């Protein structure tokens, strides 16, 4: 009888050791799987996009309007939206009282409201001293007369209903809605009654920059 109880006890001890061994085996091979996640957002380049167009929004050439309509000429301008610019604006004045006006459009082709945050009249490249307008006498033209006449030749830009000049670039809450366009009018003027030079001279204006942004 005693011998049978001892055998049963040994069997129970052996069974407990086996279960213990099994538990240790599971613990040794346990594993944790971790999920690490993140996201990146890179908006398409066309999400924000303001371009120039001509008045019928179908071409790249802008023909100026002359006042008076005879007696002088002005060159056609060209829009290049690869560079986001319009070039070739040039009036060929012959006397005071002449004006060349270029009318085109700024259009919001993006997906965000655009704010006009700045209109900058830059200095003429390479000018010394730096100046937004440089008048240069031609051969035989009196420099002093050119200086006087230069004061009467100006450029301005109207965006929407607001006109900006080199001395007035203040902007307040100017927006351009998605899909909307607004007129941009550049006027080159030789003021009526202005001074005259005794020969040819050239007038160089610095670039005018319109800065649109997605925030005000």
């Amino acid at each position: 009888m005693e011998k049978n109880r001892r055998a049963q006890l040994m069997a129970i001890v052996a069974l407990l050791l086996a279960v213990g061994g099994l538990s240790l085996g599971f613990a040794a091979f346990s594993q944790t799987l971790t999920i690490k996640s993140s996201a990146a957002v890179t908006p398409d380049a066309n999400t924000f996009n303001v371009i120039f167009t001509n008045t019928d929004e179908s071409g790249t050439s802008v023909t100026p309007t002359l006042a008076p309509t005879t007696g002088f000429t002005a060159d056609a301008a060209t829009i290049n939206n690869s560079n986001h610019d319009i070039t070739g604006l040039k009036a060929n004045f012959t006397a005071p009282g002449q004006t060349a006006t270029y009318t085109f459009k700024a259009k919001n082709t993006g997906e965000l409201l655009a704010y006009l945050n700045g209109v900058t009249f830059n200095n003429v490249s390479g000018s010394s001293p730096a100046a937004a307008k440089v008048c240069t006498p031609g051969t035989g033209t009196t420099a002093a007369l050119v200086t006087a006449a230069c004061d009467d030749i100006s450029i301005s830009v109207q965006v929407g209903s607001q006109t900006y000049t080199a001395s007035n670039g203040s902007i307040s809450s100017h927006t351009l809605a998605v899909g909307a366009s607004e007129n941009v009018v550049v006027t080159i003027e030789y003021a009526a009654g202005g001074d005259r030079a005794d020969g040819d001279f050239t007038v160089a204006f610095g670039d005018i920059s319109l800065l649109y942004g997605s925030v005000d």
Side-chain angles (χ1 to χ4, degrees):
M1 191 74 169
E2 181 67 26
K3 185 176 181 180
N4 288 339
R5 278 202 300 269
R6 185 179 299 175
Q8 289 174 353
L9 180 61
M10 292 299 292
I12 291 171
V13 171
L15 180 61
L16 289 176
L17 289 176
V19 172
L22 182 62
S23 298
L24 290 174
F26 275 112
F29 289 99
S30 66
Q31 188 173 54
T32 300
L33 301 181
T34 302
I35 299 173
K36 296 183 178 182
S37 60
S38 64
V41 179
T42 305
D44 185 270
N46 292 324
T47 297
F48 185 84
N49 197 42
V50 180
I51 64 170
F52 285 140
T53 72
N54 59 7
T55 52
D56 60 9
E57 301 185 8
S58 66
T60 59
S61 181
V62 178
T63 301
T65 300
L66 307 182
T69 56
T70 60
F72 76 110
T73 63
D75 299 352
T78 302
I79 294 169
N80 181 351
N81 281 312
S82 295
N83 297 327
H84 288 89
D85 63 18
I86 180 169
T87 60
L89 290 76
K90 182 184 178 185
N92 305 299
F93 294 134
T94 58
Q98 298 173 340
T99 302
T101 302
Y102 294 83
T103 301
F104 46 102
K105 290 185 176 183
K107 184 174 183 179
N108 185 351
T109 61
E111 300 174 7
L112 300 172
L113 179 67
Y115 294 86
L116 179 61
N117 290 326
V119 178
T120 303
F121 289 73
N122 298 286
N123 291 326
V124 177
S125 178
S127 59
S128 182
K133 178 177 64 175
V134 175
C135 296
T136 305
T139 302
T141 303
T142 304
L145 295 178
V146 170
T147 299
C150 189
D151 290 338
D152 298 315
I153 298 175
S154 63
I155 189 169
S156 64
V157 57
Q158 179 180 334
V159 185
S161 60
Q162 181 67 45
T163 299
Y164 305 94
T165 64
S167 60
N168 177 25
S170 178
I171 298 172
S172 178
S173 299
H174 187 120
T175 61
L176 185 60
V178 174
S181 60
E182 62 185 352
N183 282 347
V184 178
V185 182
V186 177
T187 301
I188 307 173
E189 179 180 12
Y190 192 172
D195 290 308
R196 296 172 181 261
D198 57 355
D200 296 342
F201 65 98
T202 60
V203 182
F205 294 103
D207 295 342
I208 302 171
S209 302
L210 308 183
L211 175 62
Y212 286 91
S214 59
V215 294
D216 193 0

